[in-house]
Amino acid sequence: MTSLKQSETSTSAKSIAEAALARARRRTLALTECLTDEELTAQHSPLMSPLVWDLAHIGNQEELWLVRRAGGRPALRPDLDALYDAFRHPRANRPALPLLAPDPARDYVREVRVRALEVLEGADFDPDGDPLLAHGFVFGMLAQHEQQHDETMLATHQLRAGPAVLDAPEPPAAPPDAAGLPREVLVAAGPFEMGTDTDGWALDNERPAHTVEVAAYWLDTVPVTNAAYLEFIADGGYDRDECWTPEGRRHRDEAGLRAPLFWWRDGDTWLRRRFGRTEPVPPDEPVVHVCWYEADAYARWAGRRLPSEAEWEKAARHDPAEGRSRRYPWGDAEPTPEHANLGQRHLRPAPAGAYPAGAAPSGARQLLGDVWEWTDSDFTAYPGFAAFPYREYSEVFFGPGHKVLRGGAFGVDEVVARGTFRNWDLPIRRQIFAGFRTARDAAPGEAG
């Protein structure tokens, strides 16, 4: 009976892994097949790789980890390893490399996937066996890797000039109660469990689970909207030095920051460019394409601050009634279209207050999906951190140079979107789909 149960569990886990890999590949192909070969090989911004580099890099990582390491099979194209090593070649330099042309790149990723699925069929997911294969971790890691590159490719689509080539239905409207939501929610003081020891596909920087004591604080119920950010602009927020850190002022002046990326003013109307379309800035959407310095300046202007990473996760996961941390804000059930704006289902954030079914126990909404949310925290290791399966995924980025983002944007797939997932980037980055919400300390009489 035990062996049968283990076999059934392994079969189910393999089906989940295969579905995650297939979903990522459908998205990869959709993001590349809509463009000409010329556009695939062009560099649309020095911040980004040519899309054909991302395509072949996805295949190379899959070959390295699924075919060679997990499967123990011979290399298909060992000559490509150095060419598609992200640490060896900065993005700005990649167009000069002898990259695979689009058709050979497609052939390569297709051939690798055939081999990877053969390895999956015979893999042993025993949780007490090879840590790389336990719970199908390495297959989940590669599905997440591909989806992360898909999000990067989506950002490249946003940066490219030319007519729109992507389309998607509009996100749902905000429900009737959105207008009456409180400005902020109170999160009571006390400990909670941050991180995870139990999620089989969680990455090394999400581990281990550990108890964190958090003082009482207030958190915005929804992310900061375009309308609210326009008030900051209208009040001279970009010129008010007292709102900016010294580093922020320096970057603001050097980069000429005056509004979120892709925004411009036409008379009394603010416009934005979104995936090849020009449209008025929608006031009720969460603001997106702001860097950490802009988010921090807004928070200071509003008399508030950015939440710490621990505050964000407690608001998103802690269930005080059950005294435990959930996998998602709404519970442990997998995300559905009623919970959050994920998976490139839509090509924009939903209006603030949307997705009441996805609300956290704290009452905050849209903590997963819509926009990545900047926090005030540097990207550092949790106590007891151990790099796995390689240092370059997380450890080399630890330190004060990178800020943590949480939550996941509309272009993030459900395989990545969980309450423990940690994203990070340089505080100057604006091409990513990042917004924010603000917080403030609770006064003694407010702490409950």
Side-chain angles (χ1 to χ4, degrees), residues 194 292 306-312 374-380 399-400 402-406 422-425:
M194 186 172 184
W292 184 89
L306 295 178
S308 70
E309 182 182 12
E311 288 173 330
W312 187 97
W374 288 111
T375 73
D376 193 44
S377 297
D378 296 335
F379 185 47
T380 57
H402 293 85
K403 291 293 185 180
V404 173
L405 302 103
R406 301 298 295 263
R422 308 172 75 196
N423 191 9
W424 66 93
D425 215 324

Side-chain angles (χ1 to χ4, degrees), residues 260-281:
L261 187 60
F262 308 115
W263 286 28
W264 71 94
R265 191 167 184 167
D266 183 10
D268 294 331
T269 303
W270 280 94
L271 302 173
R272 73 176 181 186
R273 188 173 187 277
R274 183 178 61 85
F275 298 111
R277 299 172 176 87
T278 296
E279 61 190 17
V281 170

Side-chain angles (χ1 to χ4, degrees), residues 169-437:
E170 293 297 298
D177 73 339
L181 290 173
R183 157 77 189 277
E184 55 187 358
V185 296
L186 176 65
V187 182
F192 86 104
E193 184 180 79
M194 186 172 184
T196 181
D197 290 327
T198 59
D199 194 316
W201 285 9
L203 302 171
D204 60 3
N205 63 67
E206 301 170 64
R207 302 172 183 271
H210 57 291
T211 300
V212 177
E213 186 79 30
V214 180
Y217 63 100
W218 292 88
L219 183 72
D220 288 341
T221 305
V222 298
V224 171
T225 63
N226 290 325
Y229 200 84
L230 281 167
E231 293 180 17
F232 167 71
I233 295 174
D235 196 43
Y238 279 91
D239 297 315
R240 297 178 62 166
D241 286 353
E242 69 273 16
C243 298
W244 299 75
T245 64
E247 297 83 1
R249 286 197 298 273
R250 183 162 51 251
H251 178 65
R252 175 201 63 188
D253 295 342
E254 291 175 354
L257 303 184
R258 306 302 300 168
L261 187 60
F262 308 115
W263 286 28
W264 71 94
R265 191 167 184 167
D266 183 10
D268 294 331
T269 303
W270 280 94
L271 302 173
R272 73 176 181 186
R273 188 173 187 277
R274 183 178 61 85
F275 298 111
R277 299 172 176 87
T278 296
E279 61 190 17
V281 170
D284 57 349
E285 280 186 15
V287 68
V288 64
H289 295 303
V290 290
C291 70
W292 184 89
Y293 291 125
E294 290 169 295
D296 180 66
Y298 174 96
R300 293 168 187 266
W301 168 82
R304 298 168 69 82
R305 58 178 175 80
L306 295 178
S308 70
E309 182 182 12
E311 288 173 330
W312 187 97
E313 187 168 326
K314 183 174 185 181
R317 298 185 62 215
H318 182 62
D319 184 344
E322 297 186 6
R324 70 178 186 93
S325 289
R326 300 171 166 188
R327 190 164 192 250
Y328 304 103
W330 55 86
D332 297 326
E334 297 294 321
T336 70
E338 288 70 44
H339 287 127
N341 183 6
L342 294 166
Q344 203 180 308
R345 190 178 296 117
H346 312 291
L347 286 172
R348 63 196 306 157
Y355 301 102
S362 63
R365 293 189 185 179
Q366 294 167 285
L367 283 160
L368 287 190
D370 289 304
V371 293
W372 286 107
E373 299 185 15
W374 288 111
T375 73
D376 193 44
S377 297
D378 296 335
F379 185 47
T380 57
Y382 288 163
F385 167 84
F388 178 78
Y390 59 106
R391 290 184 63 249
E392 288 79 10
Y393 180 71
S394 301
E395 189 174 354
V396 297
F397 297 101
F398 289 155
H402 293 85
K403 291 293 185 180
V404 173
L405 302 103
R406 301 298 295 263
F410 61 87
V412 169
D413 185 76
E414 64 186 62
V415 76
V416 174
R418 54 185 171 268
T420 58
F421 189 86
R422 308 172 75 196
N423 191 9
W424 66 93
D425 215 324
L426 300 172
I428 64 172
R429 290 289 185 242
R430 302 210 296 168
Q431 82 275 16
I432 59 177
F433 302 106
F436 63 99
R437 70 181 76 208

